Amino acid sequence: MEQETSKQMLDRLLAAHYSEAEAAKREGKLVAWATSISPQELLETMGITTVYPENHAAAIGARKNAEGFLARSEANGYSVDICSYARVNLGYMELLSSPAGNIPLPDLIFCCSNICNTVIKWYENIAKELGVPMILFDMPFNHTYEVEEGSVRYMKAQILSAIRRLEEITGARFDEDRFREVMRVSTETARWWKQASLVAAAKPSPMNGFELFNYMAAIVCMRGKADGTEIFRRWAAELEEKKARGAGPWKDAEEKYRILWDGIACWPYLSDTYKVLKKYGINMVTSTYPDSWTILYEAGDLDGMARAYSSNYVNRNLDFGVNNIAGLVETFSLDGVIFHSNRSCKFMDFRQLETARQVEARTGVPTVLFDGDQTDPRAFSLAQYETRIQTLAETMAARKGVGA
Amino acid sequence: MTDTVQQEAKRLAQLLIDVAADPKAALRAHLAGGRKVVGCFPVLTPDEVVHAAGMVPFGLWGGRKNAVESTKYLQAFCCSVMKANVENGMTGVYDGLTAVITTAYCDTLKCIEEVWKVAVPALPSIPFVCPQNRKDPAALDFLESAFARLAEALGAFGGRPVTEEALEKSIAVFGAYRAEARRFSLAAAQHPWTIPAAARHGVLKAAYFMRKEDYTEILAALNDALGQIPDEREGKTGVVLTGLMAEPNAFLELLPDYGFYVAADDLVHESLQFRADVPGPEAGGSAARRLAMRFVGVDGCSLLYDDEKRRGKRLIELCEAHGARAVIACMMKFCDPEEFDFPLYSKELAAAGIPLLPVEVEQNMAGAEGLRTRVQTFSEMLRFG
């Protein structure tokens, strides 16, 4: 029998991820909701079924089904100005049915503020509405370039407290050996995720970067599982094979320009945004995103784990953000950078204008910013997007001395 | 006799209201007195540390400023308070401050510190990050080291070393201020004729710009005067204000027109500043440790993680304790933490049978006439509903 491709494996495991969660709930097992870059190692160690509302909201958005959920939460008094993942999820919490798949209600929620403070508010509300316990990992924003030792100590203390609380909640013992193994697997998966994303540095890139958005579901949901490692190991091998053949991202078009996409995708317009880029021969070869899950530390090293979780790029200062993108411009031989000014994410947005200026000054590559939203279809205009991309293409062409 | 006392109360209140209306004048006075002044961002900063360093903490809560220069850094959907702070920094309004202490209570604030370093390079910033997981004992350690870093940073700008003795003294100064502010909140509620809603706001706001010793002295005298004036609440309707802050003033000025007075507030800008004290020596630990305990002890604030989400319960208790008939939510546009709390407490208030009027405010809104009809309708609903 022919080996499954990484994509087949991804689809199969994602379907199983959702159906197994529903089965677990039916069987009376504990289900957790967790933020996308939280220390899932603890839940995996305890054998707690975990689903990720951000991932689910993105799937609902990509299926163009967000409106009903948004309408429900807005009818409940949520402002249209807050994160649309939160609005979709808080609406889903009542409607409990989506063509994009369903997630069972949680018995426990697990929240890590290394991605934003918004998740604290969002999860606080879930906990209150459903009367379930919430475990918070608070990661103070790093205004210094490196994560300070005080923050690492604080984070480590929270991990230890969380372990004690999980023991109380489940009545089971936290198995240190198992924990060590999950830490090893999680790091291994993260390494392969990084490895796969780096293959796109080849020219032409064998990866059409929007694939990153698809595979992201697995790095969020399966980082602590051996199956997750396998998906990315296979994907990296497939990409290496394409690279060896000199294959580009598309069969029917040539990669003319290589860009970085800063921020979350516009899920309801995933295909539209992709097609506009492709029309101009623009391949998104990387994003600021992949490194979010490149959470690397030695198995058994709690300090290292605490530091790795605190180090997420969005939780780092402006200098780090600029260096990060400037480094990616070099590594991936980029021609331009696209900034998604995402109405849902003030945390990413309010540094973008300056980051764009500094990246341009440092690297010389042009940047463009467009207005959109991760899941609210009302906050995006395809016409504006296309105009901005067209301008970027023209600027990139002028820099390269070729016609667009 | 009452007339004279009332005049005296009004005179004292006006002293403070005038300060609140012109913070720039207050800043000039500090500078003329040779004092170093440190700007303090919302929502809570360890002002006792600034005071112990021999400097004046000075609140920076935006203002009626339109975004022009700051649009270079911040998109339109940033809250008006933070846009105004950056605008003020960029246009020289804060000139004369020695430094500013930025905070990280929400996603916007985290970004503002980063923007500030580039947008306002002439005015150094000192980031103060308050932990959110405040009930974890590690939060106290984290806060203590944050205070130590702040003290060290202030030292670099000419602040005195923050000794244990100095910090104890500052804690006492702030304890006295908070006690008088709480007393005033009660006294103002009983005297809506002498201290209508906008005046109450001005009196409390002045605390941000004055030396606490001076402020407390005037406030204590005002409280004494109010204590001699008979209750003025008859025929009026008490409300509890909640939200980030109750500005612009034009909105507050509408309230007496419809018989409303502020029975109590649950505003971050007002009572949150003085409702929790630094615990006394009986709590154990150094002055810094006890100062940290104050940050851990504040509950029911949208910008501080609250595992039990006590806001709705607090509002109901406030209404009951202060005889308020309704709650007015001052919804600062684009303030996510406030917007997340709203659906939950509105449900709890409805279940408790307490009417709620949400009004959307922005500091730089042209006027509040647009809100007049809403306030009027609400008052009629309370009367006849």
Side-chain angles (χ1 to χ4, degrees):
Chain A
M1 200 177 89
E2 214 171 275
Q3 183 181 272
E4 257 185 330
T5 63
S6 65
K7 182 66 172 54
Q8 289 164 335
M9 200 176 171
L10 170 74
D11 292 343
R12 177 174 60 80
L13 290 172
L14 271 182
H17 167 77
Y18 285 111
S19 61
E20 282 167 13
E22 295 227 83
K25 187 76 179 183
R26 280 196 300 276
E27 289 161 19
K29 290 184 187 155
L30 214 58
V31 171
W33 280 7
T35 55
S36 60
I37 313 175
S38 57
Q40 49 76 34
E41 290 87 335
L42 308 188
L43 296 167
E44 188 66 30
T45 300
M46 297 299 280
I48 296 171
T49 302
T50 306
V51 290
Y52 298 84
E54 289 156 71
N55 196 68
H56 186 236
I60 287 173
R63 281 290 202 98
K64 301 184 189 294
N65 286 125
E67 276 114 323
F69 302 103
L70 295 170
R72 171 58 75 105
S73 55
E74 286 158 24
N76 283 341
Y78 285 99
S79 163
V80 293
D81 293 320
I82 62 169
C83 169
S84 58
Y85 278 176
R87 276 180 288 139
V88 165
N89 178 247
L90 292 162
Y92 177 82
M93 212 168 78
E94 293 188 0
L95 296 169
L96 292 175
S97 175
S98 150
N102 292 316
I103 56 173
L105 288 177
D107 305 292
L108 154 73
I109 57 173
F110 212 67
C111 175
C112 184
S113 71
N114 56 353
I115 50 173
C116 58
N117 269 34
T118 298
V119 289
I120 303 180
K121 298 306 298 178
W122 167 11
Y123 276 51
E124 223 179 49
N125 285 13
I126 300 172
K128 174 86 173 179
E129 295 274 30
L130 300 178
V132 298
M134 165 160 167
I135 294 179
L136 171 66
F137 301 89
D138 170 38
M139 307 224 185
F141 186 83
N142 299 292
H143 290 295
T144 49
Y145 195 88
E146 298 296 343
V147 177
E148 291 189 322
E149 281 313 303
S151 297
V152 175
R153 280 196 299 275
Y154 172 49
M155 178 57 195
K156 183 181 171 184
Q158 293 178 85
I159 293 175
L160 294 171
S161 301
I163 290 173
R164 284 192 297 275
R165 272 196 81 191
L166 285 173
E167 287 185 326
E168 283 165 21
I169 291 166
T170 59
R173 194 180 62 86
F174 188 80
D175 183 336
E176 291 292 340
D177 293 335
R178 166 112 185 99
F179 183 36
R180 208 181 168 84
E181 175 58 12
V182 174
M183 288 168 111
R184 190 195 64 73
V185 171
S186 299
T187 297
E188 184 73 0
T189 309
R191 271 191 218 289
W192 282 109
W193 159 256
K194 173 83 173 171
Q195 186 72 25
S197 70
L198 277 175
V199 186
K203 286 181 87 170
S205 160
M207 181 199 298
N208 124 40
F210 271 55
E211 290 173 79
L212 277 174
F213 289 142
N214 291 327
Y215 281 82
M216 203 174 283
I219 193 66
V220 172
C221 305
M222 294 164 214
R223 189 159 41 93
K225 295 179 189 294
D227 279 343
T229 314
E230 185 56 21
I231 290 177
F232 294 111
R233 200 191 57 75
R234 277 188 203 181
W235 190 33
E238 289 160 8
L239 290 168
E240 286 290 356
E241 188 273 324
K242 272 183 84 180
K243 175 182 154 185
R245 282 193 278 119
W250 307 298
K251 284 183 181 146
D252 56 349
E254 186 196 337
E255 176 185 276
K256 286 165 75 178
Y257 308 107
R258 304 158 59 82
I259 58 98
L260 173 148
W261 178 291
D262 180 70
I264 301 175
C266 294
W267 296 112
Y269 300 97
L270 196 62
S271 145
D272 305 86
T273 46
Y274 169 69
K275 282 178 186 157
V276 169
L277 292 181
K278 193 179 167 193
K279 178 174 154 190
Y280 295 95
I282 299 172
N283 188 20
M284 167 197 142
V285 290
T286 190
S287 157
T288 36
Y289 243 7
D291 267 348
S292 298
W293 291 278
T294 309
I295 297 166
L296 307 176
Y297 54 87
E298 292 296 321
D301 175 13
L302 219 48
D303 289 283
M305 180 180 167
R307 186 175 294 106
Y309 276 99
S310 303
S311 302
N312 185 28
Y313 82 96
V314 79
N315 211 37
R316 307 282 290 270
N317 72 5
L318 183 74
D319 290 343
F320 182 88
V322 172
N323 278 352
N324 184 34
I325 295 181
L328 291 167
V329 168
E330 198 171 321
T331 307
F332 286 87
S333 319
L334 300 180
D335 302 303
V337 178
I338 296 176
F339 288 91
H340 174 196
S341 174
N342 176 356
R343 274 303 293 266
S344 275
C345 191
K346 297 181 171 75
F347 194 29
M348 289 187 191
D349 295 335
F350 295 157
R351 284 170 280 170
Q352 273 178 336
L353 299 176
E354 179 59 19
T355 300
R357 270 190 297 271
Q358 292 195 20
V359 166
E360 280 198 12
R362 180 92 64 88
T363 65
V365 305
T367 66
V368 74
L369 181 136
F370 74 92
D371 301 306
D373 189 86
Q374 55 202 34
T375 23
D376 191 333
R378 296 164 293 186
F380 173 81
S381 148
L382 190 57
Q384 187 218 51
Y385 173 76
E386 176 145 13
T387 310
R388 301 278 162 94
I389 299 305
Q390 192 180 5
T391 308
L392 178 70
E394 285 163 6
T395 318
M396 292 190 296
R399 269 190 91 232
K400 285 190 154 190
V402 295
Chain B
M1 153 77 184
T2 301
D3 278 359
T4 326
V5 178
Q6 194 189 43
Q7 276 168 14
E8 175 62 1
K10 286 199 165 219
R11 187 188 68 82
L12 291 165
Q14 197 59 46
L15 286 176
L16 299 176
I17 293 165
D18 289 345
V19 173
D22 190 359
K24 192 78 191 170
L27 176 59
R28 279 195 298 270
H30 288 309
L31 297 175
R35 290 185 283 271
K36 284 186 182 292
V37 184
V38 175
C40 295
F41 269 57
V43 294
L44 288 175
T45 42
D47 294 1
E48 289 88 338
V49 175
V50 180
H51 185 270
M55 297 158 134
V56 181
F58 198 88
L60 305 181
W61 287 68
R64 291 178 57 77
K65 193 95 176 180
N66 287 326
V68 181
E69 297 297 321
S70 58
T71 57
K72 192 177 163 195
Y73 297 94
L74 300 168
Q75 286 96 323
F77 48 92
C78 176
C79 77
S80 54
V81 185
M82 279 307 108
K83 278 195 288 201
N85 269 19
V86 173
E87 192 73 26
N88 284 336
M90 292 179 77
T91 54
V93 174
Y94 295 155
D95 285 2
L97 293 177
T98 297
V100 298
I101 300 172
T102 56
T103 60
Y105 290 97
C106 68
D107 293 332
T108 301
L109 281 164
K110 293 181 206 172
C111 294
I112 295 298
E113 157 63 20
E114 295 306 311
V115 161
W116 189 274
K117 289 187 269 198
V118 187
V120 197
L123 181 47
S125 58
I126 309 168
F128 166 70
V129 181
C130 175
Q132 286 285 345
N133 214 350
R134 296 169 303 130
K135 308 298 170 186
D136 195 301
L140 286 173
D141 299 336
F142 187 88
L143 273 166
E144 264 194 90
S145 47
F147 299 156
R149 269 201 307 276
L150 172 61
E152 196 187 321
L154 292 173
F157 297 117
R160 289 197 300 257
V162 177
T163 62
E164 180 74 6
E165 194 192 350
L167 193 53
E168 288 288 8
K169 275 189 186 158
S170 300
I171 286 173
V173 166
F174 277 76
Y177 142 65
R178 292 190 184 110
E180 286 302 333
R182 289 193 292 265
R183 208 178 133 214
F184 171 74
S185 186
L186 293 171
Q190 288 166 6
H191 301 94
W193 183 250
T194 309
I195 310 284
R200 178 188 180 281
H201 170 68
V203 167
L204 289 173
K205 186 176 177 178
Y208 284 103
F209 312 122
M210 297 172 70
R211 289 177 71 241
K212 287 294 179 296
E213 297 87 334
D214 300 341
Y215 176 78
T216 307
E217 197 183 321
I218 299 175
L219 191 62
L222 171 57
N223 286 337
D224 290 344
L226 289 171
Q228 296 175 53
I229 303 172
D231 197 308
E232 300 169 344
R233 284 176 291 186
E234 196 177 336
K236 297 192 182 336
T237 308
V239 291
V240 168
L241 298 183
T242 192
L244 184 75
M245 62 196 304
E247 289 194 353
N249 255 355
F251 161 66
L252 290 173
E253 283 161 3
L254 289 177
L255 298 184
D257 292 354
Y258 302 97
F260 289 122
Y261 70 93
V262 180
D265 84 76
D266 176 52
L267 298 162
V268 179
H269 184 234
E270 297 184 8
S271 70
L272 184 84
Q273 304 299 319
F274 51 78
R275 74 181 181 225
D277 277 318
V278 177
E282 69 284 356
S286 64
R289 190 75 175 176
R290 287 184 283 113
L291 182 58
M293 289 175 192
R294 172 171 183 261
F295 282 78
V296 165
V298 181
D299 279 320
C301 168
S302 64
L303 289 110
L304 293 165
Y305 170 54
D306 183 353
D307 57 346
E308 291 177 32
K309 205 95 193 171
R310 297 169 179 86
R311 177 106 177 250
K313 189 163 166 268
R314 250 192 73 74
L315 286 171
I316 294 165
E317 285 168 0
L318 274 178
C319 287
E320 284 167 358
H322 299 277
R325 279 202 57 202
V327 172
I328 296 180
C330 307
M331 299 301 297
M332 181 62 68
K333 194 157 170 58
F334 303 126
C335 177
D336 290 3
E338 280 294 314
E339 289 171 348
F340 267 105
D341 275 7
F342 176 77
L344 270 66
Y345 69 71
S346 66
K347 202 153 74 171
E348 289 174 82
L349 289 173
I354 299 172
L356 167 68
L357 173 69
V359 290
E360 190 171 79
V361 290
E362 283 201 281
Q363 274 190 312
N364 58 342
M365 60 205 274
E369 280 311 301
L371 299 174
R372 180 176 289 279
T373 324
R374 304 206 55 210
V375 174
Q376 184 179 14
T377 312
F378 191 62
S379 81
E380 282 162 9
M381 187 205 74
L382 289 180
R383 206 168 333 138
F384 307 114

